[in-house]
Amino acid sequence: MLAGVLQIRDDGLRVLLWQRAQEPDVHRWSLPGGRLAATEDVETSIRRQLAEKVDVHKLSHVEQLSVFSNPDRVPGRRVVATAFLGLVPSDIDPEVPADTAWHPVDALPPTAFDHELIVLAAQDRLRAKLSYTNIGFALAPAEFTVSELRRIYSAALGYQVAATNLQRVLSRRGVLEPTGRTVPAGPAGGRPPALFQFTCRDLQVTDPFAVFRPPA
């Protein structure tokens, strides 16, 4: 099993990779993962492996991505990989090992085997679900301003999203609600920005036919 763990960091979509120390594909970057134990279900297993191997304990969402079964995907005997998408909120900063790092999805280092394909599949799945589900909850902190949420959606989608449009769309779907709290106004003064939260922090389909589109 392999996990494409994504997070918004430094206003960009990043994936967690570790650098291989042995052949095959020594020094190339790999997705974390491992084998399913006899007493585990797949989600329990991938969460355990991420906690043990790369010290990622706080996944806000995990789902099965796909099965990668090309006979030549790795050298030697055939290996079939079940891949997962995992998401980490933007306000969490896991202490990862020295051989592990967050890499921009749009500027990947040399990757092992077919792991670049898996990363891109994870990115595509996330972008699709941002359109028709509330999966933004898994990328955002518990509370946020609309401006902060706009930066998260823009980074994940790969293009700029208007804050007012995003708030209108998500509020109409019943996804966002105000917390009643604010953050201090910026140096220019003005009204203190309101804090919002997602109404539900479990995955829900909110508009099955919706598609976010980049500006023309």
Side-chain angles (χ1 to χ4, degrees):
M1 295 189 299
L2 296 168
V5 180
L6 304 179
Q7 185 183 32
I8 304 300
R9 300 173 69 89
D10 301 321
D11 288 335
L13 184 63
R14 311 285 174 134
V15 62
L16 190 66
L17 301 172
W18 66 276
Q19 193 169 34
R20 296 179 61 84
Q22 298 179 355
E23 294 287 2
D25 279 357
V26 65
H27 303 317
R28 285 180 170 260
W29 292 84
S30 296
L31 292 167
R35 295 183 178 180
L36 179 69
T39 58
E40 292 178 318
D41 60 58
V42 289
E43 182 173 335
T44 300
S45 180
I46 203 67
R47 287 181 179 273
R48 172 186 59 79
Q49 292 168 36
L50 290 170
E52 291 177 352
K53 296 182 178 181
V54 291
D55 203 29
V56 173
H57 299 265
K58 295 185 178 180
L59 289 170
S60 49
H61 177 72
V62 177
E63 66 177 68
Q64 187 169 331
L65 182 62
S66 187
V67 174
F68 291 80
S69 59
N70 188 311
D72 300 319
R73 60 175 300 272
V74 300
R77 66 182 181 87
R78 186 176 186 182
V79 177
V80 175
T82 301
F84 290 80
L85 167 65
L87 301 176
V88 178
S90 60
D91 60 336
I92 300 296
D93 189 17
E95 294 185 11
V96 298
D99 63 353
T100 305
W102 296 94
H103 293 270
V105 172
D106 59 0
L108 292 173
T111 56
F113 315 128
D114 57 353
H115 291 198
E116 180 176 357
L117 294 176
I118 300 173
V119 172
L120 297 179
Q123 179 190 51
D124 289 345
R125 173 71 63 83
L126 173 61
R127 287 179 171 177
K129 286 201 165 181
L130 283 169
S131 288
Y132 65 87
T133 76
N134 66 335
I135 202 169
F137 79 85
L139 297 172
E143 296 183 348
F144 45 82
T145 65
V146 171
S147 177
E148 290 169 340
L149 189 64
R150 180 199 67 79
R151 289 197 296 271
I152 289 170
Y153 269 72
S154 295
L157 291 168
Y159 56 83
Q160 292 300 310
V161 177
T164 52
N165 289 343
L166 181 65
Q167 181 180 358
R168 183 176 67 252
V169 168
L170 296 184
S171 296
R172 186 178 68 238
R173 296 178 186 175
V175 170
L176 289 186
E177 62 183 4
T179 66
R181 292 180 287 277
T182 61
V183 296
R191 180 182 298 177
L195 284 169
F196 288 79
Q197 63 188 7
F198 279 89
T199 56
C200 179
R201 298 191 71 83
D202 293 308
L203 186 67
Q204 295 180 335
V205 175
T206 56
D207 190 339
F209 303 108
V211 178
F212 279 123
R213 299 185 186 278

